[in-house]
Amino acid sequence: MRAVRITVAALAASLALTACGGGGSDDSDSKTRAGGACAIGDVDVEAGPANAAPAAGDSGNLPVTVTNNGPECTLKGFPEIELRTADAAAAVAPDQAAKATTLTLAEGASTSVTLTYVRGAAGAGSLDVSTLRVTLPGASESQDFPWSYGPVAGTADAPEASFTAFQQAGD
């Protein structure tokens, strides 16, 4: 399946609220671009390609990759991930074993989380997901990706899905 690559302008803007500051102050509320939060237009987010679950009851995986295209920047904590239907938004929780991290990305460096989900049967007891929504840590803006991997088992209050902490990609 073809990966969706989107430049994220709005997502990175709010990272300044949660990432480590790189300015002249040690105050964690003082956030700047120099070694701090990823700046608008300097981060690409890609969802996929997926290892889609072939049938109801099977598990599938979808990587969500963040690539820094500017100077060194920082991601702190977990992203917010939602599975969206026409009528509802189901918040996906981090895997129980995942631990929030602070990750500094050099220019060109990437990190990713992996969303794991259980494919549901069409109809009751499943979410007819049409969109995956990703919000980077501390951001208020989000990025949507089309979902073409079938229904997800569970309900809007309890989707059968979870994701990993950010993992450094490459070297």
mmCIF file of all heavy atoms in Angstrom, residues 59-94:
data_model
loop_
_atom_site.group_PDB
_atom_site.id
_atom_site.type_symbol
_atom_site.label_atom_id
_atom_site.label_comp_id
_atom_site.label_asym_id
_atom_site.label_seq_id
_atom_site.Cartn_x
_atom_site.Cartn_y
_atom_site.Cartn_z
ATOM 1 N N SER A 59 -4.494 -9.134 13.679
ATOM 2 C CA SER A 59 -3.864 -7.872 14.047
ATOM 3 C C SER A 59 -3.130 -7.284 12.852
ATOM 4 O O SER A 59 -2.576 -8.011 12.032
ATOM 5 C CB SER A 59 -2.853 -8.079 15.173
ATOM 6 O OG SER A 59 -3.515 -8.425 16.364
ATOM 7 N N GLY A 60 -3.123 -5.958 12.800
ATOM 8 C CA GLY A 60 -2.381 -5.239 11.780
ATOM 9 C C GLY A 60 -1.536 -4.169 12.432
ATOM 10 O O GLY A 60 -1.769 -3.798 13.582
ATOM 11 N N ASN A 61 -0.544 -3.685 11.703
ATOM 12 C CA ASN A 61 0.358 -2.651 12.208
ATOM 13 C C ASN A 61 0.477 -1.531 11.184
ATOM 14 O O ASN A 61 0.560 -1.798 9.982
ATOM 15 C CB ASN A 61 1.759 -3.228 12.460
ATOM 16 C CG ASN A 61 1.734 -4.314 13.500
ATOM 17 O OD1 ASN A 61 1.358 -4.075 14.635
ATOM 18 N ND2 ASN A 61 2.121 -5.504 13.118
ATOM 19 N N LEU A 62 0.531 -0.307 11.688
ATOM 20 C CA LEU A 62 0.688 0.858 10.833
ATOM 21 C C LEU A 62 1.722 1.780 11.469
ATOM 22 O O LEU A 62 1.479 2.345 12.532
ATOM 23 C CB LEU A 62 -0.648 1.597 10.687
ATOM 24 C CG LEU A 62 -0.610 2.891 9.888
ATOM 25 C CD1 LEU A 62 -0.376 2.607 8.409
ATOM 26 C CD2 LEU A 62 -1.920 3.648 10.076
ATOM 27 N N PRO A 63 2.898 1.940 10.838
ATOM 28 C CA PRO A 63 3.875 2.879 11.376
ATOM 29 C C PRO A 63 3.485 4.318 11.055
ATOM 30 O O PRO A 63 2.946 4.605 9.985
ATOM 31 C CB PRO A 63 5.175 2.490 10.663
ATOM 32 C CG PRO A 63 4.732 1.876 9.384
ATOM 33 C CD PRO A 63 3.401 1.232 9.670
ATOM 34 N N VAL A 64 3.747 5.212 11.991
ATOM 35 C CA VAL A 64 3.582 6.649 11.786
ATOM 36 C C VAL A 64 4.960 7.247 12.039
ATOM 37 O O VAL A 64 5.480 7.168 13.152
ATOM 38 C CB VAL A 64 2.525 7.250 12.736
ATOM 39 C CG1 VAL A 64 2.444 8.757 12.552
ATOM 40 C CG2 VAL A 64 1.169 6.591 12.505
ATOM 41 N N THR A 65 5.556 7.818 10.991
ATOM 42 C CA THR A 65 6.932 8.291 11.037
ATOM 43 C C THR A 65 6.987 9.808 10.995
ATOM 44 O O THR A 65 6.293 10.440 10.201
ATOM 45 C CB THR A 65 7.728 7.706 9.859
ATOM 46 O OG1 THR A 65 7.625 6.280 9.897
ATOM 47 C CG2 THR A 65 9.197 8.101 9.916
ATOM 48 N N VAL A 66 7.825 10.386 11.849
ATOM 49 C CA VAL A 66 8.070 11.829 11.887
ATOM 50 C C VAL A 66 9.522 12.034 11.459
ATOM 51 O O VAL A 66 10.427 11.439 12.034
ATOM 52 C CB VAL A 66 7.858 12.398 13.306
ATOM 53 C CG1 VAL A 66 8.187 13.885 13.356
ATOM 54 C CG2 VAL A 66 6.445 12.133 13.782
ATOM 55 N N THR A 67 9.737 12.871 10.437
ATOM 56 C CA THR A 67 11.081 13.175 9.947
ATOM 57 C C THR A 67 11.344 14.663 10.089
ATOM 58 O O THR A 67 10.546 15.488 9.642
ATOM 59 C CB THR A 67 11.232 12.764 8.461
ATOM 60 O OG1 THR A 67 10.954 11.369 8.345
ATOM 61 C CG2 THR A 67 12.638 13.043 7.953
ATOM 62 N N ASN A 68 12.471 14.990 10.718
ATOM 63 C CA ASN A 68 12.853 16.377 10.915
ATOM 64 C C ASN A 68 13.602 16.876 9.683
ATOM 65 O O ASN A 68 14.641 16.337 9.328
ATOM 66 C CB ASN A 68 13.736 16.508 12.155
ATOM 67 C CG ASN A 68 14.170 17.933 12.394
ATOM 68 O OD1 ASN A 68 13.555 18.879 11.910
ATOM 69 N ND2 ASN A 68 15.243 18.100 13.139
ATOM 70 N N ASN A 69 13.095 17.909 9.048
ATOM 71 C CA ASN A 69 13.729 18.487 7.865
ATOM 72 C C ASN A 69 14.456 19.784 8.163
ATOM 73 O O ASN A 69 14.927 20.453 7.252
ATOM 74 C CB ASN A 69 12.684 18.722 6.767
ATOM 75 C CG ASN A 69 12.156 17.410 6.242
ATOM 76 O OD1 ASN A 69 12.876 16.439 6.118
ATOM 77 N ND2 ASN A 69 10.864 17.370 5.966
ATOM 78 N N GLY A 70 14.547 20.160 9.428
ATOM 79 C CA GLY A 70 15.215 21.412 9.801
ATOM 80 C C GLY A 70 16.277 21.154 10.847
ATOM 81 O O GLY A 70 16.703 20.020 11.057
ATOM 82 N N PRO A 71 16.692 22.209 11.546
ATOM 83 C CA PRO A 71 17.691 22.049 12.617
ATOM 84 C C PRO A 71 17.175 21.121 13.715
ATOM 85 O O PRO A 71 15.985 20.842 13.810
ATOM 86 C CB PRO A 71 17.859 23.473 13.148
ATOM 87 C CG PRO A 71 17.384 24.358 12.050
ATOM 88 C CD PRO A 71 16.309 23.589 11.339
ATOM 89 N N GLU A 72 18.095 20.667 14.556
ATOM 90 C CA GLU A 72 17.763 19.764 15.650
ATOM 91 C C GLU A 72 16.513 20.222 16.393
ATOM 92 O O GLU A 72 16.343 21.403 16.664
ATOM 93 C CB GLU A 72 18.949 19.714 16.609
ATOM 94 C CG GLU A 72 18.793 18.738 17.726
ATOM 95 C CD GLU A 72 20.042 18.680 18.583
ATOM 96 O OE1 GLU A 72 20.952 17.907 18.242
ATOM 97 O OE2 GLU A 72 20.099 19.431 19.587
ATOM 98 N N CYS A 73 15.626 19.260 16.704
ATOM 99 C CA CYS A 73 14.407 19.578 17.456
ATOM 100 C C CYS A 73 14.051 18.415 18.361
ATOM 101 O O CYS A 73 14.659 17.356 18.295
ATOM 102 C CB CYS A 73 13.267 19.929 16.502
ATOM 103 S SG CYS A 73 12.722 18.570 15.450
ATOM 104 N N THR A 74 13.049 18.611 19.225
ATOM 105 C CA THR A 74 12.725 17.640 20.260
ATOM 106 C C THR A 74 11.239 17.295 20.263
ATOM 107 O O THR A 74 10.391 18.157 20.093
ATOM 108 C CB THR A 74 13.106 18.214 21.643
ATOM 109 O OG1 THR A 74 14.491 18.548 21.620
ATOM 110 C CG2 THR A 74 12.858 17.220 22.750
ATOM 111 N N LEU A 75 10.945 16.020 20.473
ATOM 112 C CA LEU A 75 9.588 15.531 20.723
ATOM 113 C C LEU A 75 9.582 15.021 22.159
ATOM 114 O O LEU A 75 10.493 14.306 22.566
ATOM 115 C CB LEU A 75 9.228 14.380 19.781
ATOM 116 C CG LEU A 75 9.111 14.715 18.310
ATOM 117 C CD1 LEU A 75 9.003 13.433 17.485
ATOM 118 C CD2 LEU A 75 7.916 15.610 18.072
ATOM 119 N N LYS A 76 8.548 15.363 22.919
ATOM 120 C CA LYS A 76 8.493 14.975 24.322
ATOM 121 C C LYS A 76 7.150 14.326 24.617
ATOM 122 O O LYS A 76 6.107 14.958 24.459
ATOM 123 C CB LYS A 76 8.692 16.202 25.211
ATOM 124 C CG LYS A 76 8.735 15.892 26.683
ATOM 125 C CD LYS A 76 9.009 17.139 27.493
ATOM 126 C CE LYS A 76 9.050 16.819 28.971
ATOM 127 N NZ LYS A 76 9.335 18.009 29.762
ATOM 128 N N GLY A 77 7.164 13.066 25.030
ATOM 129 C CA GLY A 77 5.942 12.374 25.399
ATOM 130 C C GLY A 77 5.366 11.550 24.261
ATOM 131 O O GLY A 77 6.069 11.142 23.341
ATOM 132 N N PHE A 78 4.067 11.312 24.343
ATOM 133 C CA PHE A 78 3.348 10.509 23.361
ATOM 134 C C PHE A 78 2.566 11.397 22.405
ATOM 135 O O PHE A 78 2.053 12.441 22.811
ATOM 136 C CB PHE A 78 2.319 9.599 24.050
ATOM 137 C CG PHE A 78 2.911 8.493 24.866
ATOM 138 C CD1 PHE A 78 2.796 8.500 26.241
ATOM 139 C CD2 PHE A 78 3.553 7.421 24.255
ATOM 140 C CE1 PHE A 78 3.311 7.466 27.006
ATOM 141 C CE2 PHE A 78 4.079 6.385 25.012
ATOM 142 C CZ PHE A 78 3.958 6.406 26.389
ATOM 143 N N PRO A 79 2.390 10.941 21.163
ATOM 144 C CA PRO A 79 1.439 11.624 20.295
ATOM 145 C C PRO A 79 0.020 11.250 20.740
ATOM 146 O O PRO A 79 -0.159 10.336 21.553
ATOM 147 C CB PRO A 79 1.740 11.031 18.914
ATOM 148 C CG PRO A 79 2.223 9.650 19.209
ATOM 149 C CD PRO A 79 2.987 9.776 20.512
ATOM 150 N N GLU A 80 -0.961 11.954 20.225
ATOM 151 C CA GLU A 80 -2.361 11.544 20.403
ATOM 152 C C GLU A 80 -2.780 10.911 19.090
ATOM 153 O O GLU A 80 -2.530 11.462 18.023
ATOM 154 C CB GLU A 80 -3.244 12.748 20.707
ATOM 155 C CG GLU A 80 -2.976 13.359 22.057
ATOM 156 C CD GLU A 80 -3.855 14.573 22.325
ATOM 157 O OE1 GLU A 80 -4.967 14.656 21.752
ATOM 158 O OE2 GLU A 80 -3.414 15.443 23.073
ATOM 159 N N ILE A 81 -3.408 9.743 19.175
ATOM 160 C CA ILE A 81 -3.867 9.031 17.984
ATOM 161 C C ILE A 81 -5.337 8.715 18.152
ATOM 162 O O ILE A 81 -5.758 8.196 19.191
ATOM 163 C CB ILE A 81 -3.041 7.751 17.757
ATOM 164 C CG1 ILE A 81 -1.583 8.138 17.479
ATOM 165 C CG2 ILE A 81 -3.616 6.932 16.609
ATOM 166 C CD1 ILE A 81 -0.652 6.973 17.238
ATOM 167 N N GLU A 82 -6.114 9.036 17.126
ATOM 168 C CA GLU A 82 -7.551 8.755 17.114
ATOM 169 C C GLU A 82 -7.914 7.987 15.857
ATOM 170 O O GLU A 82 -7.380 8.256 14.783
ATOM 171 C CB GLU A 82 -8.372 10.046 17.097
ATOM 172 C CG GLU A 82 -8.355 10.835 18.355
ATOM 173 C CD GLU A 82 -9.226 12.078 18.243
ATOM 174 O OE1 GLU A 82 -9.480 12.576 17.123
ATOM 175 O OE2 GLU A 82 -9.655 12.554 19.293
ATOM 176 N N LEU A 83 -8.851 7.059 16.016
ATOM 177 C CA LEU A 83 -9.484 6.384 14.901
ATOM 178 C C LEU A 83 -10.846 7.038 14.754
ATOM 179 O O LEU A 83 -11.649 7.020 15.685
ATOM 180 C CB LEU A 83 -9.615 4.885 15.178
ATOM 181 C CG LEU A 83 -8.297 4.150 15.408
ATOM 182 C CD1 LEU A 83 -8.567 2.721 15.865
ATOM 183 C CD2 LEU A 83 -7.450 4.171 14.152
ATOM 184 N N ARG A 84 -11.117 7.636 13.592
ATOM 185 C CA ARG A 84 -12.334 8.424 13.416
ATOM 186 C C ARG A 84 -13.290 7.745 12.443
ATOM 187 O O ARG A 84 -12.879 7.238 11.406
ATOM 188 C CB ARG A 84 -11.981 9.818 12.951
ATOM 189 C CG ARG A 84 -11.093 10.529 14.001
ATOM 190 C CD ARG A 84 -10.700 11.917 13.623
ATOM 191 N NE ARG A 84 -11.815 12.845 13.587
ATOM 192 C CZ ARG A 84 -12.330 13.474 14.631
ATOM 193 N NH1 ARG A 84 -11.823 13.269 15.830
ATOM 194 N NH2 ARG A 84 -13.322 14.313 14.496
ATOM 195 N N THR A 85 -14.568 7.756 12.824
ATOM 196 C CA THR A 85 -15.639 7.274 11.961
ATOM 197 C C THR A 85 -16.472 8.486 11.564
ATOM 198 O O THR A 85 -16.161 9.613 11.962
ATOM 199 C CB THR A 85 -16.539 6.259 12.706
ATOM 200 O OG1 THR A 85 -17.269 6.949 13.722
ATOM 201 C CG2 THR A 85 -15.714 5.136 13.336
ATOM 202 N N ALA A 86 -17.534 8.256 10.837
ATOM 203 C CA ALA A 86 -18.422 9.359 10.464
ATOM 204 C C ALA A 86 -19.079 9.983 11.690
ATOM 205 O O ALA A 86 -19.395 11.172 11.691
ATOM 206 C CB ALA A 86 -19.498 8.864 9.497
ATOM 207 N N ASP A 87 -19.243 9.194 12.773
ATOM 208 C CA ASP A 87 -19.982 9.652 13.946
ATOM 209 C C ASP A 87 -19.175 9.791 15.231
ATOM 210 O O ASP A 87 -19.673 10.341 16.207
ATOM 211 C CB ASP A 87 -21.132 8.675 14.244
ATOM 212 C CG ASP A 87 -22.077 8.524 13.084
ATOM 213 O OD1 ASP A 87 -22.287 9.504 12.345
ATOM 214 O OD2 ASP A 87 -22.592 7.401 12.889
ATOM 215 N N ALA A 88 -17.961 9.253 15.268
ATOM 216 C CA ALA A 88 -17.244 9.193 16.536
ATOM 217 C C ALA A 88 -15.733 9.290 16.332
ATOM 218 O O ALA A 88 -15.226 9.068 15.242
ATOM 219 C CB ALA A 88 -17.578 7.882 17.256
ATOM 220 N N ALA A 89 -15.075 9.602 17.433
ATOM 221 C CA ALA A 89 -13.615 9.601 17.472
ATOM 222 C C ALA A 89 -13.197 8.693 18.624
ATOM 223 O O ALA A 89 -13.615 8.884 19.756
ATOM 224 C CB ALA A 89 -13.079 11.006 17.693
ATOM 225 N N ALA A 90 -12.402 7.680 18.322
ATOM 226 C CA ALA A 90 -11.952 6.733 19.328
ATOM 227 C C ALA A 90 -10.483 7.011 19.638
ATOM 228 O O ALA A 90 -9.616 6.808 18.788
ATOM 229 C CB ALA A 90 -12.130 5.307 18.825
ATOM 230 N N ALA A 91 -10.215 7.483 20.855
ATOM 231 C CA ALA A 91 -8.842 7.737 21.266
ATOM 232 C C ALA A 91 -8.127 6.408 21.483
ATOM 233 O O ALA A 91 -8.652 5.511 22.144
ATOM 234 C CB ALA A 91 -8.814 8.561 22.548
ATOM 235 N N VAL A 92 -6.940 6.302 20.906
ATOM 236 C CA VAL A 92 -6.122 5.103 21.067
ATOM 237 C C VAL A 92 -5.101 5.385 22.162
ATOM 238 O O VAL A 92 -4.437 6.421 22.152
ATOM 239 C CB VAL A 92 -5.412 4.737 19.747
ATOM 240 C CG1 VAL A 92 -4.522 3.517 19.932
ATOM 241 C CG2 VAL A 92 -6.438 4.496 18.636
ATOM 242 N N ALA A 93 -4.983 4.463 23.098
ATOM 243 C CA ALA A 93 -4.041 4.623 24.214
ATOM 244 C C ALA A 93 -2.686 4.012 23.851
ATOM 245 O O ALA A 93 -2.615 3.073 23.056
ATOM 246 C CB ALA A 93 -4.592 3.931 25.457
ATOM 247 N N PRO A 94 -1.630 4.536 24.459
ATOM 248 C CA PRO A 94 -0.322 3.893 24.273
ATOM 249 C C PRO A 94 -0.365 2.471 24.822
ATOM 250 O O PRO A 94 -1.127 2.170 25.740
ATOM 251 C CB PRO A 94 0.630 4.748 25.109
ATOM 252 C CG PRO A 94 -0.084 6.033 25.355
ATOM 253 C CD PRO A 94 -1.544 5.721 25.316
#
